[in-house]
Amino acid sequence: MTNHEEATTSGESQFQLLEHQVAGHGGVLSVGEGKMVAKPLIKREQEFYEASAQCAKFKAFIPEYYGTLQQQDGDGSSTTADSSYICLENLTDGYEKPCILDVKIGTRIHDIDATPEK
C-alpha cells in the first residue's frame, strides 16, 4: 500500500494484535511482517496525519502515514465503521523490548469530543 491510499482486505490472516501494546486504546493490530500497524480509525487522527504530510520538518518526527484500510469478512460482505483502520509505520519494528513514551502537551487530558465517561 502506498501513501494515502485506501485498501480493502478480507479475513484476518495478516492481522495480529500488536504484541507490545500495554496501554492506550485497544484494537491496534500488527500487519503482515510487522512493518505497519493498523489502528481503529478516528477521523480526527486521520485528518492530522494527512495534514502533517504537508510539513516536511514536522513529518520527520512522526510515523509514516500509509492511508486507511477497510477490513471485510471472509465472504466479502460490506464493512462496518468498526473495521476501518488508519495505517502507520510501526516504530517498534526491529526492537526486542520497545519502550515508547507518548507525551501530551497542554493542560487538558481529554479530547474536546470525548464522551462524558472519559
Side-chain angles (χ1 to χ4, degrees):
M1 189 160 74
T2 61
N3 286 349
H4 312 292
E5 269 185 18
E6 181 173 320
T8 303
T9 185
S10 296
E12 295 189 28
S13 59
Q14 65 177 342
F15 294 92
Q16 300 175 9
L17 284 176
L18 187 62
E19 181 181 357
H20 299 292
Q21 183 177 0
V22 295
H25 298 281
V28 178
L29 305 173
S30 175
V31 181
E33 298 290 317
K35 304 272 184 211
M36 182 171 74
V37 293
K39 297 174 62 179
L41 189 137
I42 298 171
K43 190 70 175 166
R44 192 164 176 191
E45 184 176 16
Q46 177 187 9
E47 291 167 354
F48 166 80
Y49 280 107
E50 289 175 353
S52 297
Q54 307 304 314
C55 182
K57 290 181 181 179
F58 184 65
K59 190 176 171 182
F61 296 99
I62 61 175
E64 178 102 22
Y65 170 67
Y66 298 123
T68 59
L69 181 73
Q70 295 289 318
Q71 188 176 10
Q72 294 181 340
D73 292 334
D75 63 1
S77 61
S78 62
T79 60
T80 65
D82 297 13
S83 59
S84 298
Y85 296 89
I86 184 171
C87 298
L88 302 169
E89 172 187 12
N90 182 359
L91 297 176
T92 65
D93 182 52
Y95 290 94
E96 290 182 27
K97 296 181 180 180
C99 185
I100 303 282
L101 175 62
D102 184 4
V103 178
K104 308 291 191 236
I105 300 173
T107 58
R108 187 180 57 215
I109 59 172
H110 64 278
D111 188 324
I112 58 172
D113 298 324
T115 63
E117 294 81 28
K118 176 92 176 177

